[in-house]
Amino acid sequence: MNSASCAAKISTQPFSLNPTSPTSHDRPLVSPKPTSLFLGSTRKLRLSSSSKLNLHRRSGTVVAVSDVVKQKKSKSTHSLLITKEEGLELYEDMILGRAFEDMCAQMYYRGKMFGFVHLYNGQEAVSTGFIKLLKQQDSVVSTYRDHVHALSKGVPARAVMSELFGKTTGCCRGQGGSMHMFSREHNLLGGFAFIGEGIPVATGAAFTSKYKREVLKEADCDHVTLAFFGDGTCNNGQFFECLNMAALWKLPIVFVVENNLWAIGMSHLRATSDPQIYKKGPAFGMPGIHVDGMDVLKVREVAKDAIGRARRGEGPTLVECETYRFRGHSLADPDELRDPAEKAHYAARDPITALKKYLIENSLASEADLKAIDKKIDEVVEDAVEFADESPVPSQSQLLENVFADPKGFGIGPDGRYRCEDPKFTEGTAHV
Amino acid sequence: MLTPFQYLLSGIYLTRYILYSRHELLLFEALQEGLEEEMERDIRVCVMGEDVGHYGGSYKVTKGLAKKFGDLRVLDTPIAENSFTGMGIGAAMTGLRPVVEGMNMGFLLLAFNQISNNCGMLHYTSGGQFTIPIVIRGPGGVGRQLGAEHSQRLESYFQSIPGIQMVACSTPYNAKGLMKAAIRSENPVILFEHVLLYNLKERIPDEDYICNLEEAEMVRPGEHVTILTYSRMRYHVMQAAKTLVNKGYDPEVIDIRSLKPFDLYTIGNSVKKTHRVLIVEECMRTGGIGASLIAAITENFNDYLDAPIMCLSSQDVPTPYAGTLEEVTVVQPAQIVTAVEQLCQ
């Protein structure tokens, strides 16, 4: 998938921090570490010298997964990483993610959805690679870039599209929007607009899982929580606080970093003293793994290990997926800062193209099979748009619903009755 | 020999004693009792906070609970308010009923992100799919020379957050009752305790009871003026009331207890009776609970007022360390007496 010849074509010069702007006064900070670490995992990762474990400190191993996976593959040319069914499932999920996001862009520019919409194009391997290994009772916590996490977890495309259109049939009744996808049925715990604020929620879900096992005595409860977040979040306090708590209490959680190198216009290298995020795991006592996030099979192998660890009660794992978003940060982002060469480099590593190539080369699927899936997904996405278009918008009476789970929280009115008992209450505004 | 009437009376007292038997305890013990009873009643109730477990809580509200229920149900957290409050919210979304303690209410400023964005909002933004039956509690208020940062009143900061309820306890009776009601509520509730009230003593009922989260408490019925207050200021008001009664006034004192939402029924009935309102609060004047209360009363009961509403609040200053300055930062009984005299002219 990633041939050695690719590496040779890449310039050895690290991407300039300020490529073309003559007015910039920034002196690029000379980093002692090679900034070209992120040019593709064909390059061998340095194994951390702290791999000699100090057991007393309970630090974990840092693993270079590309080596592990290559070993697996070379053991026997006849043992593949996936079966045909699995391959088609992965392909379909990634195509769904891609087609859905492309449709979102179209709908946004046609004025069907508004606000901040953050698309996932290019990062599908991470969502598919991880979430397709989960059970329904496992939880996923995401960020504002959550459409595809929702789809992978099983939330119907119709429900997500309706939510984006702001209709009552949306998964959150139109009250959440693009950045707040929730599904109780599929255990998608959000959808968060501020970075980092979902990580403690994910830690709480993992805590519940442990609590169920140990206090409620549901011995077979092995529910795992996945927390997805980006490189920018890894400089945020909540990230570190939760790494600490998760490792301390051995919570069944996997912290999945979708490192796409950019936090809006802030390059990861300009924001982070040590850009190798996976190394921060062992500092808190959990394994830190770096994986090529453009390769769904590699991600899946790492995910199996990490999720397995969590299920067995061995504690959390930090997985850093090197990935890339093909579009801007959001549909409002002009995306002028990123070097076209960088974009081209990652476009050549499109995870969908790569999986397609793998499936065909290993005779797991034919072109016709894949085209059939493409067509099927096109229909699913079209149907989702149609459904969303035809769905009703919320009426004013919906405004005050769901503010409180127990609407007695609106209080007692001057007449002595609870406000929620007054049918006219929803027609007015919520007075304290 | 007792007369038949005296037999009847002693029979009534004996019955009441048996039916409504009571025990005496301090306010922090009442909170602990409420918490313990709810933890026994529902295994999903758990506690999270700094030093709540082995240390028993910095104000002993969780004393003995870790030994009884274990380290997971009474969880000693690292010092990371934003994250462990968020963890409590995640746990609440997935089926538990956590009680999160801020060692001092002021520390919860660090958890503002989680309290505002997640605690208050997630039930709404998820379209009603997830409930957050969390209780966030802790001691706040001006103590004895604790310094500016440990003397904060967060009720005024949190009051605008949609989706949460706020209550303030002031007696052992309502402390236990509100604690239990807050835990049983499906809504997120912030329970404000006061550092100086933990050692108040009272005889409370033996049987199970809860206090309604949305109701205010009539402390002293009266005719001349409505005094609305909560938490520690209730005691300053009652002290002032003694002086006022001696001077011939008849104040009606209501402990509003529910800081969000306001009990407009109890408050309204009082305003309709006395036509004069004085608010005595400990939070600062600007943007305080009193400010919201003035707005609510003016909007709903303006026609019944014979005088503008008066509001006595703490000074808009960071609470000074020096004792003399701290004393004049909060409202003192003498000021309350003067205010009532002014109001009733």
Side-chain angles (χ1 to χ4, degrees):
Chain A
M1 289 216 225
N2 294 300
S3 59
S5 59
C6 241
K9 287 184 195 143
I10 296 159
S11 149
T12 49
Q13 203 178 41
F15 289 122
S16 164
L17 296 173
N18 294 296
T20 50
S21 126
T23 58
S24 160
H25 297 289
D26 281 349
R27 278 175 292 114
L29 292 169
V30 177
S31 159
K33 303 172 189 71
T35 53
S36 52
L37 198 60
F38 292 101
L39 296 185
S41 62
T42 50
R43 208 173 280 272
K44 267 194 180 1
L45 288 164
R46 295 170 300 151
L47 279 173
S48 164
S49 57
S50 64
S51 54
K52 296 266 186 306
L53 291 180
N54 180 350
L55 290 169
H56 185 62
R57 280 183 61 228
R58 296 188 298 127
S59 38
T61 347
V62 171
V63 176
V65 175
S66 51
D67 295 331
V68 171
V69 174
K70 272 195 194 133
Q71 274 172 15
K72 273 193 184 166
K73 278 168 81 172
S74 59
K75 268 198 189 117
S76 156
T77 46
H78 296 295
S79 77
L80 296 167
L81 289 171
I82 44 169
T83 65
K84 174 178 181 167
E85 288 74 34
E86 286 169 347
L88 293 178
E89 190 196 0
L90 297 179
Y91 182 78
E92 185 172 327
D93 193 55
M94 290 207 287
I95 286 285
L96 174 59
R98 181 67 61 86
F100 190 92
E101 297 292 72
D102 281 339
M103 184 59 82
C104 281
Q106 254 194 66
M107 293 296 114
Y108 189 83
Y109 295 126
R110 281 198 209 169
K112 297 281 184 75
M113 62 177 82
F114 305 93
F116 291 129
V117 178
H118 309 83
L119 299 182
Y120 201 74
N121 299 49
Q123 301 183 194
E124 294 87 358
V126 181
S127 179
T128 301
F130 267 95
I131 300 181
K132 281 308 169 197
L133 291 171
L134 295 181
K135 303 186 289 199
Q136 179 146 2
Q137 305 95 319
D138 295 322
S139 301
V140 165
V141 173
S142 178
T143 60
Y144 44 73
R145 205 179 297 283
D146 56 353
H147 308 168
V148 179
H149 293 141
L151 295 170
S152 292
K153 193 65 174 63
V155 182
R158 280 183 164 193
V160 182
M161 192 60 85
S162 283
E163 183 62 31
L164 292 168
F165 282 27
K167 305 289 179 89
T168 49
T169 47
C171 54
C172 301
R173 307 181 76 203
Q175 289 168 193
S178 167
M179 300 185 280
H180 304 282
M181 293 289 168
F182 287 83
S183 169
R184 194 185 184 91
E185 188 191 336
H186 300 280
N187 288 298
L188 175 66
L189 304 181
F192 293 92
F194 286 19
I195 58 145
E197 70 179 357
I199 306 178
V201 173
T203 310
F207 179 81
T208 302
S209 180
K210 184 183 169 88
Y211 192 96
K212 280 188 178 156
R213 216 185 205 165
E214 296 182 16
V215 178
L216 303 184
K217 306 293 185 209
E218 293 171 23
D220 54 351
C221 177
D222 61 354
H223 303 160
V224 164
T225 305
L226 299 184
F228 291 92
F229 47 92
D231 44 284
T233 308
C234 295
N235 294 323
N236 187 274
Q238 286 168 106
F239 169 62
F240 298 110
E241 290 172 3
C242 290
L243 285 185
N244 178 44
M245 293 197 290
L248 189 61
W249 299 316
K250 283 218 164 97
L251 299 182
I253 185 172
V254 183
F255 297 100
V256 185
V257 182
E258 294 170 322
N259 183 352
N260 58 22
L261 295 181
W262 291 88
I264 307 187
M266 189 62 165
S267 153
H268 176 58
L269 304 173
R270 287 184 69 219
T272 318
S273 57
D274 184 347
Q276 294 172 287
I277 301 171
Y278 66 92
K279 279 164 58 178
K280 300 180 189 186
F284 288 92
M286 71 180 80
I289 303 177
H290 177 278
V291 67
D292 175 6
M294 305 305 275
D295 181 339
V296 68
L297 298 179
K298 287 185 184 155
V299 172
R300 193 178 151 89
E301 288 308 302
V302 167
K304 276 187 195 164
D305 280 341
I307 293 172
R309 257 179 62 83
R311 277 209 211 289
R312 291 186 301 271
E314 290 166 25
T317 314
L318 176 66
V319 180
E320 179 186 354
C321 303
E322 177 197 337
T323 182
Y324 204 75
R325 50 169 166 81
F326 293 158
R327 291 181 180 267
H329 164 74
S330 72
L331 289 173
D333 174 19
D335 193 15
E336 287 161 349
L337 281 181
R338 300 193 299 175
D339 189 347
E342 185 188 81
K343 291 190 206 179
H345 167 67
Y346 282 99
R349 290 168 56 195
D350 187 328
I352 293 177
T353 320
L355 180 65
K356 191 167 173 177
K357 187 156 171 264
Y358 182 88
L359 291 174
I360 290 178
E361 276 178 4
N362 291 286
S363 307
L364 287 172
S366 65
E367 281 273 4
D369 290 333
L370 301 181
K371 278 225 160 30
I373 291 178
D374 290 348
K375 187 165 180 302
K376 174 180 164 198
I377 291 301
D378 274 342
E379 283 167 14
V380 166
V381 174
E382 295 261 350
D383 168 76
V385 171
E386 228 180 88
F387 175 78
D389 260 335
E390 288 165 8
S391 294
V393 287
S395 62
Q396 189 175 350
S397 61
Q398 198 184 303
L399 181 66
L400 297 181
E401 290 171 18
N402 309 134
V403 175
F404 289 107
D406 178 1
K408 295 219 298 276
F410 283 117
I412 302 173
D415 59 359
R417 289 193 303 165
Y418 275 97
R419 297 216 109 113
C420 55
E421 291 167 13
D422 176 1
K424 280 178 168 262
F425 178 58
T426 51
E427 292 168 28
T429 53
H431 282 299
V432 171
Chain B
M1 270 304 290
L2 295 175
T3 68
F5 181 68
Q6 282 169 319
Y7 269 121
L8 184 64
L9 268 185
S10 44
I12 291 171
Y13 283 130
L14 192 62
T15 315
R16 276 181 67 187
Y17 182 77
I18 292 166
L19 279 181
Y20 305 114
S21 49
R22 296 166 169 259
H23 57 288
E24 188 178 73
L25 42 51
L26 305 178
L27 195 145
F28 79 86
E29 291 169 334
L31 287 167
Q32 186 209 29
E33 219 175 68
L35 186 49
E36 194 173 339
E37 285 175 19
E38 291 305 299
M39 289 180 79
E40 277 167 2
R41 182 177 176 269
D42 187 341
I43 196 174
R44 298 167 303 164
V45 179
C46 55
V47 183
M48 299 174 183
E50 294 157 11
D51 274 328
V52 296
H54 294 189
Y55 195 73
S58 54
Y59 289 91
K60 301 292 169 237
V61 172
T62 49
K63 187 170 172 194
L65 297 183
K67 269 215 181 78
K68 183 168 177 182
F69 296 108
D71 281 349
L72 205 57
R73 280 193 83 184
V74 187
L75 187 73
D76 277 324
T77 61
I79 306 173
E81 277 79 4
N82 201 17
S83 291
F84 71 69
T85 305
M87 193 174 89
I89 291 165
M93 286 167 77
T94 44
L96 300 186
R97 306 187 75 89
V99 178
V100 173
E101 175 175 304
M103 187 187 268
N104 184 288
M105 264 297 181
F107 299 169
L108 293 181
L109 286 173
L110 291 153
F112 213 111
N113 181 1
Q114 292 293 337
I115 293 174
S116 171
N117 280 357
N118 290 348
C119 188
M121 286 193 196
L122 291 189
H123 184 73
Y124 193 78
T125 52
S126 67
Q129 293 183 79
F130 290 99
T131 51
I132 310 186
I134 195 173
V135 177
I136 298 174
R137 51 157 290 271
V142 176
R144 300 251 181 265
Q145 298 189 254
L146 299 180
E149 292 179 18
H150 283 81
S151 310
Q152 296 190 74
R153 284 80 72 198
L154 259 45
E155 55 268 20
S156 48
Y157 302 172
F158 288 142
Q159 64 174 321
S160 295
I161 300 172
I164 56 155
Q165 282 186 248
M166 305 198 307
V167 288
C169 63
S170 50
T171 65
Y173 179 83
N174 64 35
K176 179 175 176 184
L178 289 173
M179 170 73 92
K180 290 171 73 105
I183 292 173
R184 293 187 196 182
S185 171
E186 294 304 312
N187 297 334
V189 179
I190 305 185
L191 170 57
F192 291 90
E193 302 154 15
H194 198 288
V195 280
L196 294 181
L197 298 184
Y198 280 127
N199 290 324
L200 285 180
K201 207 185 275 193
E202 193 181 355
R203 295 185 68 78
I204 65 169
D206 288 347
E207 87 257 1
D208 197 49
Y209 72 93
I210 59 167
C211 288
N212 200 325
L213 287 176
E214 296 87 24
E215 271 176 22
E217 187 179 313
M218 178 65 72
V219 183
R220 182 193 187 281
E223 298 288 328
H224 289 163
V225 59
T226 300
I227 306 182
L228 302 173
T229 184
Y230 67 91
S231 192
R232 182 192 168 208
M233 287 297 114
R234 166 185 174 141
Y235 295 93
H236 281 202
V237 168
M238 290 312 287
Q239 208 178 325
K242 276 197 211 136
T243 315
L244 286 167
V245 165
N246 287 340
K247 291 191 174 191
Y249 295 94
D250 187 20
E252 177 153 290
V253 180
I254 294 175
D255 182 338
I256 61 172
R257 252 172 33 188
S258 176
L259 306 181
K260 180 186 166 99
F262 295 134
D263 176 1
L264 291 180
Y265 183 59
T266 308
I267 293 170
N269 286 350
S270 181
V271 174
K272 289 174 188 174
K273 186 168 59 164
T274 68
H275 312 296
R276 289 179 165 79
V277 180
L278 170 67
I279 300 170
V280 180
E281 60 171 357
E282 197 173 313
C283 60
M284 287 172 277
R285 187 68 184 85
T286 306
I289 298 291
S292 295
L293 203 41
I294 292 175
I297 295 172
T298 318
E299 273 166 8
N300 288 288
F301 310 115
N302 195 40
D303 289 340
Y304 297 96
L305 292 170
D306 282 350
I309 304 171
M310 278 190 81
C311 183
L312 297 176
S313 323
S314 294
Q315 300 293 315
D316 276 316
V317 297
T319 311
Y321 164 74
T324 44
L325 291 179
E326 186 185 69
E327 210 180 295
V328 295
T329 310
V330 298
V331 179
Q332 299 297 339
Q335 291 165 271
I336 302 172
V337 172
T338 314
V340 170
E341 287 173 336
Q342 228 178 319
L343 203 48
C344 291
Q345 262 163 7

